Amino acid sequence: RRPPGRRRHRQPAAEGCPPGDGGSMRCQQVSVLYFARSAELAGLRCETLSVPRQITSLQLWEEIVKIHPRLAVIRDQVVFAVQQEYVLLGDQLLVLQPGDEVAIIPPISGG
Amino acid sequence: MDESEDVPKDFIKLKSEKLSVDEVSELVISPCCGAVSLFIGTTRNNFEGKKVIHLEYEAYMSMAETEIKKICRDVRQKWPSVKHIAVHHRLGVVPVTEASVIIAISSPHRAESLEAVMYCINTLKASVPIWKKEIYEGEYSWKENKECFWTNTEK
């Protein structure tokens, strides 16, 4: 139940996080940020996602692609930034805290 | 100027307004420095035969500032005599010939600031989460720096 006055926003749950079962599956709410081409493909710039507390970066990517299938085309080009540290897509185990920020980072082009 | 207040400083700014070479240069001027070196990146009007109308930049703001701070820290480690560093990057629409990035660095002698400026722009292109979209007539393209550290031809 949403508190009164709170703006509606999507809170999709990843597989392995049954709704309301945050205890035994140890799920965390994280903020996912989309930039550049990934924002165009996903159709949004940010959302809150429920994910298992321990998850590899590749598993996290796969959870996000289940929700936004159009992102699949950039899989080989992106990295994550988890709490503003770059993480390659792969076996690296992420230990996520509630409210952590995860950003999808397409190939950069500053300067 | 009170010289005891002339401690080394980093000036980092991401903004949508037009950048000013005068403003960025003046930030790094120091009485103990005989050199101020500058890099200005400007929007080109063409790419592979296509006419570029303008560039559009976006950034992961908080992380971009953090990454630029890391670059400044690295510069000071490699060139300890560097005094002040200024990095201004424009966001949003940047028309042709206007500056998208200005880097200014001061040092007592010219070799250090010249080398540090080159390092700064090269590393910015490899590691700072900023993206540019090239707008042509009727189409656009998200650019990818060849320096981007996670994209390579071996993939």
Side-chain angles (χ1 to χ4, degrees), chain A residues 33-37 39-40 45 76-79 81 84-86 88 101 103-111, chain B residues 57-60 62-63 66 89 124-133 140 142-145 148-150 155:
Chain A
L33 306 179
Y34 301 88
F35 292 97
R37 183 134 186 254
E40 287 180 348
R45 292 210 160 260
D76 288 341
Q77 299 155 32
V78 300
V79 298
Q84 304 192 6
E85 297 287 340
Y86 289 116
L88 299 178
E101 206 167 78
I104 315 293
I105 310 281
I108 54 179
S109 43
Chain B
Y57 285 88
E58 67 179 71
Y60 183 3
S62 50
M63 187 176 175
T66 305
H89 202 301
L124 185 152
K125 283 180 163 291
S127 67
V128 176
I130 295 175
W131 297 268
K132 71 168 161 261
K133 198 159 79 172
Y140 68 85
W142 286 104
K143 306 304 294 182
E144 301 180 4
N145 289 346
C148 179
F149 74 85
W150 63 85
K155 247 195 162 143

Side-chain angles (χ1 to χ4, degrees), chain A residues 9 61 84 110:
Chain A
H9 62 271
W61 172 258
Q84 304 192 6

Side-chain angles (χ1 to χ4, degrees), chain B residues 54-116:
Chain B
H54 63 249
L55 299 180
E56 287 179 20
Y57 285 88
E58 67 179 71
Y60 183 3
M61 293 276 291
S62 50
M63 187 176 175
E65 290 190 17
T66 305
E67 289 296 312
I68 297 173
K69 279 186 195 144
K70 285 183 193 171
I71 295 174
C72 292
R73 193 188 60 210
D74 290 349
V75 163
R76 293 184 183 292
Q77 228 170 6
K78 290 172 185 295
W79 296 280
S81 68
V82 155
K83 189 71 177 210
H84 302 307
I85 304 170
V87 179
H88 282 205
H89 202 301
R90 195 165 171 192
L91 301 177
V93 173
V94 184
V96 168
T97 76
E98 293 191 19
S100 46
V101 62
I102 303 177
I103 297 170
I105 297 182
S106 54
S107 59
H109 304 285
R110 68 186 181 280
E112 289 80 5
S113 67
L114 282 167
E115 289 170 20

